[in-house]
Short mmCIF file of all heavy atoms in Angstrom, two decimals:
data_model
loop_
_atom_site.label_atom_id
_atom_site.label_comp_id
_atom_site.label_asym_id
_atom_site.label_seq_id
_atom_site.Cartn_x
_atom_site.Cartn_y
_atom_site.Cartn_z
N ASP A 1 29.66 187.18 -78.65
CA ASP A 1 29.88 188.34 -79.51
C ASP A 1 31.35 188.60 -79.82
O ASP A 1 31.68 189.11 -80.90
CB ASP A 1 29.30 189.60 -78.86
CG ASP A 1 27.80 189.49 -78.65
OD1 ASP A 1 27.16 188.69 -79.35
OD2 ASP A 1 27.26 190.21 -77.78
N THR A 2 32.25 188.25 -78.90
CA THR A 2 33.68 188.50 -79.12
C THR A 2 34.42 187.23 -79.51
O THR A 2 35.20 187.23 -80.46
CB THR A 2 34.32 189.11 -77.85
OG1 THR A 2 33.63 190.33 -77.54
CG2 THR A 2 35.79 189.40 -78.05
N ARG A 3 34.18 186.15 -78.81
CA ARG A 3 34.84 184.89 -79.12
C ARG A 3 34.21 184.18 -80.31
O ARG A 3 34.85 183.36 -80.95
CB ARG A 3 34.82 183.96 -77.91
CG ARG A 3 35.62 184.46 -76.71
CD ARG A 3 37.10 184.59 -77.04
NE ARG A 3 37.89 184.81 -75.81
CZ ARG A 3 39.17 185.13 -75.82
NH1 ARG A 3 39.81 185.28 -76.95
NH2 ARG A 3 39.81 185.30 -74.68
N GLY A 4 32.97 184.46 -80.56
CA GLY A 4 32.29 183.83 -81.69
C GLY A 4 31.80 182.44 -81.39
O GLY A 4 31.55 181.65 -82.32
N TRP A 5 31.60 182.11 -80.12
CA TRP A 5 31.11 180.79 -79.75
C TRP A 5 29.60 180.75 -79.85
O TRP A 5 28.94 181.79 -79.93
CB TRP A 5 31.55 180.45 -78.32
CG TRP A 5 33.04 180.42 -78.13
CD1 TRP A 5 34.00 180.41 -79.10
CD2 TRP A 5 33.75 180.40 -76.89
NE1 TRP A 5 35.25 180.39 -78.54
CE2 TRP A 5 35.12 180.38 -77.17
CE3 TRP A 5 33.35 180.40 -75.55
CZ2 TRP A 5 36.10 180.36 -76.18
CZ3 TRP A 5 34.30 180.39 -74.56
CH2 TRP A 5 35.68 180.35 -74.87
N ILE A 6 29.04 179.57 -79.82
CA ILE A 6 27.60 179.44 -79.97
C ILE A 6 26.86 179.75 -78.66
O ILE A 6 25.64 179.99 -78.69
CB ILE A 6 27.20 178.03 -80.43
CG1 ILE A 6 27.59 176.96 -79.37
CG2 ILE A 6 27.80 177.71 -81.78
CD1 ILE A 6 27.00 175.59 -79.65
N ASP A 7 27.57 179.80 -77.55
CA ASP A 7 26.92 179.97 -76.25
C ASP A 7 28.01 180.22 -75.22
O ASP A 7 29.20 180.28 -75.55
CB ASP A 7 26.11 178.72 -75.89
CG ASP A 7 25.09 178.93 -74.79
OD1 ASP A 7 24.96 180.06 -74.30
OD2 ASP A 7 24.41 177.95 -74.43
N THR A 8 27.62 180.32 -73.95
CA THR A 8 28.59 180.38 -72.87
C THR A 8 29.53 179.18 -72.95
O THR A 8 29.08 178.07 -73.25
CB THR A 8 27.86 180.37 -71.51
OG1 THR A 8 26.98 181.50 -71.46
CG2 THR A 8 28.84 180.45 -70.35
N GLY A 9 30.81 179.39 -72.66
CA GLY A 9 31.78 178.31 -72.81
C GLY A 9 31.70 177.25 -71.73
O GLY A 9 31.79 176.05 -72.03
N GLN A 10 31.55 177.67 -70.46
CA GLN A 10 31.55 176.71 -69.36
C GLN A 10 30.15 176.20 -69.08
O GLN A 10 29.16 176.85 -69.41
CB GLN A 10 32.15 177.34 -68.10
CG GLN A 10 31.26 178.35 -67.39
CD GLN A 10 31.34 179.75 -68.01
OE1 GLN A 10 31.98 179.97 -69.02
NE2 GLN A 10 30.67 180.69 -67.36
N GLN A 11 30.09 175.06 -68.41
CA GLN A 11 28.79 174.48 -68.09
C GLN A 11 28.12 175.18 -66.92
O GLN A 11 26.89 175.30 -66.90
CB GLN A 11 28.96 172.98 -67.81
CG GLN A 11 29.22 172.11 -69.03
CD GLN A 11 30.67 172.07 -69.42
OE1 GLN A 11 31.54 172.70 -68.80
NE2 GLN A 11 30.99 171.32 -70.48
N PHE A 12 28.92 175.64 -65.95
CA PHE A 12 28.34 176.25 -64.75
C PHE A 12 29.21 177.43 -64.28
O PHE A 12 30.40 177.46 -64.53
CB PHE A 12 28.17 175.24 -63.62
CG PHE A 12 27.21 174.13 -63.98
CD1 PHE A 12 27.69 172.90 -64.44
CD2 PHE A 12 25.84 174.31 -63.85
CE1 PHE A 12 26.82 171.88 -64.80
CE2 PHE A 12 24.96 173.30 -64.22
CZ PHE A 12 25.44 172.10 -64.69
N THR A 13 28.56 178.37 -63.58
CA THR A 13 29.24 179.55 -63.05
C THR A 13 28.91 179.69 -61.57
O THR A 13 27.78 179.45 -61.16
CB THR A 13 28.81 180.81 -63.82
OG1 THR A 13 28.93 180.59 -65.22
CG2 THR A 13 29.68 182.00 -63.42
N ASN A 14 29.90 180.13 -60.79
CA ASN A 14 29.76 180.29 -59.36
C ASN A 14 30.14 181.72 -59.00
O ASN A 14 31.27 182.15 -59.29
CB ASN A 14 30.67 179.29 -58.63
CG ASN A 14 30.51 179.29 -57.13
OD1 ASN A 14 29.51 179.74 -56.60
ND2 ASN A 14 31.51 178.76 -56.44
N SER A 15 29.24 182.47 -58.37
CA SER A 15 29.52 183.88 -58.08
C SER A 15 30.20 184.02 -56.73
O SER A 15 30.21 183.10 -55.92
CB SER A 15 28.22 184.69 -58.10
OG SER A 15 27.50 184.49 -56.89
N ARG A 16 30.74 185.20 -56.47
CA ARG A 16 31.41 185.46 -55.20
C ARG A 16 30.41 185.45 -54.03
O ARG A 16 30.79 185.28 -52.88
CB ARG A 16 32.17 186.79 -55.26
CG ARG A 16 33.49 186.63 -56.00
CD ARG A 16 34.21 187.95 -56.20
NE ARG A 16 34.50 188.67 -54.98
CZ ARG A 16 35.54 188.41 -54.16
NH1 ARG A 16 36.37 187.41 -54.45
NH2 ARG A 16 35.74 189.15 -53.09
N GLY A 17 29.14 185.61 -54.35
CA GLY A 17 28.11 185.48 -53.35
C GLY A 17 27.64 184.05 -53.14
O GLY A 17 26.76 183.78 -52.31
N GLY A 18 28.23 183.11 -53.90
CA GLY A 18 27.88 181.72 -53.75
C GLY A 18 26.66 181.29 -54.53
O GLY A 18 26.08 180.23 -54.26
N HIS A 19 26.25 182.10 -55.53
CA HIS A 19 25.10 181.76 -56.36
C HIS A 19 25.57 180.96 -57.58
O HIS A 19 26.45 181.40 -58.31
CB HIS A 19 24.37 183.02 -56.80
CG HIS A 19 23.92 183.87 -55.65
ND1 HIS A 19 22.94 183.48 -54.77
CD2 HIS A 19 24.37 185.10 -55.22
CE1 HIS A 19 22.77 184.42 -53.85
NE2 HIS A 19 23.62 185.41 -54.10
N LEU A 20 24.96 179.82 -57.81
CA LEU A 20 25.32 178.94 -58.92
C LEU A 20 24.36 179.15 -60.07
O LEU A 20 23.14 179.17 -59.88
CB LEU A 20 25.28 177.48 -58.46
CG LEU A 20 26.32 177.08 -57.42
CD1 LEU A 20 25.95 175.77 -56.77
CD2 LEU A 20 27.71 177.00 -58.05
N THR A 21 24.90 179.28 -61.29
CA THR A 21 24.08 179.42 -62.47
C THR A 21 24.52 178.42 -63.53
O THR A 21 25.68 178.05 -63.61
CB THR A 21 24.13 180.84 -63.06
OG1 THR A 21 25.50 181.18 -63.33
CG2 THR A 21 23.54 181.86 -62.11
N GLU A 22 23.57 178.01 -64.33
CA GLU A 22 23.87 177.18 -65.49
C GLU A 22 24.51 178.06 -66.53
O GLU A 22 24.08 179.19 -66.76
CB GLU A 22 22.57 176.59 -66.01
CG GLU A 22 22.71 175.72 -67.25
CD GLU A 22 21.35 175.23 -67.75
OE1 GLU A 22 20.33 175.95 -67.52
OE2 GLU A 22 21.30 174.14 -68.33
N GLY A 23 25.57 177.60 -67.18
CA GLY A 23 26.22 178.37 -68.22
C GLY A 23 25.71 177.98 -69.59
O GLY A 23 24.74 178.54 -70.09
N ARG A 24 26.36 177.00 -70.21
CA ARG A 24 25.90 176.53 -71.52
C ARG A 24 24.54 175.87 -71.39
O ARG A 24 24.28 175.10 -70.46
CB ARG A 24 26.93 175.56 -72.11
CG ARG A 24 26.53 175.00 -73.46
CD ARG A 24 27.72 174.61 -74.29
NE ARG A 24 28.50 175.80 -74.69
CZ ARG A 24 29.31 175.83 -75.74
NH1 ARG A 24 29.43 174.78 -76.54
NH2 ARG A 24 29.99 176.91 -76.04
N HIS A 25 23.66 176.17 -72.32
CA HIS A 25 22.33 175.60 -72.32
C HIS A 25 22.39 174.07 -72.28
O HIS A 25 23.29 173.45 -72.82
CB HIS A 25 21.56 176.02 -73.57
CG HIS A 25 21.03 177.42 -73.52
ND1 HIS A 25 21.82 178.53 -73.72
CD2 HIS A 25 19.77 177.90 -73.30
CE1 HIS A 25 21.08 179.63 -73.63
NE2 HIS A 25 19.84 179.27 -73.37
N ARG A 26 21.43 173.50 -71.57
CA ARG A 26 21.21 172.06 -71.41
C ARG A 26 22.17 171.42 -70.41
O ARG A 26 22.07 170.22 -70.14
CB ARG A 26 21.29 171.31 -72.75
CG ARG A 26 20.25 171.78 -73.79
CD ARG A 26 20.12 170.74 -74.91
NE ARG A 26 19.60 169.46 -74.38
CZ ARG A 26 19.60 168.33 -75.09
NH1 ARG A 26 20.10 168.30 -76.30
NH2 ARG A 26 19.11 167.22 -74.55
N SER A 27 23.12 172.19 -69.85
CA SER A 27 24.08 171.61 -68.94
C SER A 27 23.41 171.03 -67.70
O SER A 27 23.81 169.94 -67.23
CB SER A 27 25.11 172.65 -68.53
OG SER A 27 25.92 173.05 -69.62
N LEU A 28 22.42 171.73 -67.15
CA LEU A 28 21.76 171.24 -65.94
C LEU A 28 20.91 170.02 -66.23
O LEU A 28 20.95 169.03 -65.49
CB LEU A 28 20.92 172.36 -65.33
CG LEU A 28 20.23 172.05 -64.00
CD1 LEU A 28 21.22 171.55 -62.97
CD2 LEU A 28 19.50 173.29 -63.49
N GLU A 29 20.17 170.08 -67.29
CA GLU A 29 19.33 168.93 -67.70
C GLU A 29 20.17 167.68 -67.87
O GLU A 29 19.83 166.59 -67.36
CB GLU A 29 18.63 169.28 -69.01
CG GLU A 29 18.06 168.10 -69.77
CD GLU A 29 18.04 168.32 -71.29
OE1 GLU A 29 18.09 169.49 -71.73
OE2 GLU A 29 17.97 167.32 -72.03
N VAL A 30 21.29 167.81 -68.58
CA VAL A 30 22.13 166.66 -68.87
C VAL A 30 22.85 166.17 -67.62
O VAL A 30 23.00 164.96 -67.40
CB VAL A 30 23.13 166.99 -70.00
CG1 VAL A 30 24.16 165.88 -70.20
CG2 VAL A 30 22.36 167.23 -71.31
N LEU A 31 23.29 167.10 -66.78
CA LEU A 31 23.94 166.71 -65.52
C LEU A 31 22.97 165.90 -64.66
O LEU A 31 23.36 164.90 -64.04
CB LEU A 31 24.40 167.95 -64.76
CG LEU A 31 24.89 167.75 -63.32
CD1 LEU A 31 26.09 166.82 -63.29
CD2 LEU A 31 25.22 169.10 -62.68
N ARG A 32 21.73 166.31 -64.60
CA ARG A 32 20.75 165.57 -63.81
C ARG A 32 20.55 164.14 -64.32
O ARG A 32 20.27 163.24 -63.55
CB ARG A 32 19.42 166.32 -63.81
CG ARG A 32 19.40 167.55 -62.91
CD ARG A 32 18.14 168.35 -63.07
NE ARG A 32 18.02 169.40 -62.05
CZ ARG A 32 17.24 170.44 -62.15
NH1 ARG A 32 16.50 170.62 -63.24
NH2 ARG A 32 17.19 171.32 -61.17
N GLY A 33 20.73 163.96 -65.62
CA GLY A 33 20.63 162.61 -66.16
C GLY A 33 21.78 161.72 -65.74
O GLY A 33 21.61 160.50 -65.58
N GLY A 34 22.97 162.31 -65.61
CA GLY A 34 24.10 161.57 -65.08
C GLY A 34 24.79 160.59 -66.01
O GLY A 34 25.63 159.80 -65.58
N THR A 35 24.44 160.64 -67.33
CA THR A 35 25.04 159.66 -68.25
C THR A 35 25.70 160.29 -69.47
O THR A 35 26.45 159.62 -70.17
CB THR A 35 23.98 158.65 -68.75
OG1 THR A 35 22.94 159.37 -69.43
CG2 THR A 35 23.39 157.88 -67.58
N ARG A 36 25.41 161.57 -69.71
CA ARG A 36 25.94 162.22 -70.93
C ARG A 36 26.66 163.51 -70.56
O ARG A 36 26.70 163.93 -69.39
CB ARG A 36 24.81 162.48 -71.92
CG ARG A 36 24.11 161.20 -72.40
CD ARG A 36 23.14 161.49 -73.53
NE ARG A 36 22.05 162.35 -73.10
CZ ARG A 36 21.21 162.99 -73.94
NH1 ARG A 36 21.38 162.90 -75.25
NH2 ARG A 36 20.24 163.75 -73.46
N HIS A 37 27.21 164.16 -71.56
CA HIS A 37 28.09 165.33 -71.34
C HIS A 37 27.79 166.41 -72.37
O HIS A 37 27.82 166.16 -73.58
CB HIS A 37 29.54 164.88 -71.44
CG HIS A 37 30.54 165.99 -71.41
ND1 HIS A 37 30.62 166.90 -70.39
CD2 HIS A 37 31.54 166.33 -72.30
CE1 HIS A 37 31.61 167.75 -70.63
NE2 HIS A 37 32.16 167.43 -71.77
N VAL A 38 27.52 167.62 -71.88
CA VAL A 38 27.36 168.78 -72.77
C VAL A 38 28.75 169.29 -73.13
O VAL A 38 29.53 169.68 -72.26
CB VAL A 38 26.54 169.89 -72.10
CG1 VAL A 38 26.63 171.18 -72.92
CG2 VAL A 38 25.08 169.46 -71.98
N LEU A 39 29.09 169.29 -74.41
CA LEU A 39 30.39 169.76 -74.85
C LEU A 39 30.48 171.28 -74.68
O LEU A 39 29.68 172.03 -75.22
CB LEU A 39 30.61 169.40 -76.32
CG LEU A 39 31.98 169.76 -76.89
CD1 LEU A 39 33.08 168.90 -76.26
CD2 LEU A 39 32.00 169.60 -78.40
N GLY A 40 31.44 171.72 -73.88
CA GLY A 40 31.64 173.14 -73.66
C GLY A 40 32.83 173.67 -74.43
O GLY A 40 33.31 173.05 -75.39
N ALA A 41 33.32 174.84 -74.01
CA ALA A 41 34.48 175.47 -74.64
C ALA A 41 35.25 176.20 -73.54
O ALA A 41 35.27 177.42 -73.49
CB ALA A 41 34.05 176.45 -75.74
N ASN A 42 35.85 175.43 -72.63
CA ASN A 42 36.56 176.07 -71.52
C ASN A 42 37.92 175.46 -71.22
O ASN A 42 38.67 176.03 -70.43
CB ASN A 42 35.68 176.06 -70.25
CG ASN A 42 35.24 174.67 -69.84
OD1 ASN A 42 35.90 174.00 -69.06
ND2 ASN A 42 34.10 174.22 -70.34
N VAL A 43 38.28 174.35 -71.85
CA VAL A 43 39.59 173.73 -71.64
C VAL A 43 40.15 173.35 -73.00
O VAL A 43 39.65 172.43 -73.66
CB VAL A 43 39.50 172.47 -70.74
CG1 VAL A 43 40.89 171.89 -70.51
CG2 VAL A 43 38.84 172.81 -69.42
N GLY A 44 41.19 174.06 -73.46
CA GLY A 44 41.73 173.85 -74.78
C GLY A 44 42.10 172.41 -75.07
O GLY A 44 42.84 171.80 -74.31
N ASN A 45 41.55 171.85 -76.13
CA ASN A 45 41.85 170.51 -76.63
C ASN A 45 41.38 169.40 -75.69
O ASN A 45 41.74 168.24 -75.89
CB ASN A 45 43.35 170.35 -76.89
CG ASN A 45 43.88 171.32 -77.92
OD1 ASN A 45 43.27 171.50 -78.97
ND2 ASN A 45 44.98 171.98 -77.60
#
């Protein structure tokens, strides 16, 4: 809503309670495959 991105920028999020969540859609599915990469928006250039 503010940045205007299509989805969450990072692939994964880690909470202070140690709970891991998938960020950008398809990140977990693709990680499990181990051969491809979901393009995120968290490291400039």
Side-chain angles (χ1 to χ4, degrees):
D1 298 338
T2 302
R3 295 297 191 189
W5 299 347
I6 63 169
D7 197 1
T8 301
Q10 73 277 6
Q11 286 84 359
F12 297 97
T13 309
N14 185 20
S15 78
R16 282 174 58 80
H19 303 292
L20 295 163
T21 56
E22 179 183 30
R24 179 153 293 204
H25 283 77
R26 301 197 64 192
S27 294
L28 184 54
E29 163 209 340
V30 172
L31 171 61
R32 284 173 170 161
T35 60
R36 298 188 296 164
H37 172 56
V38 168
L39 184 68
N42 57 91
V43 182
N45 301 313

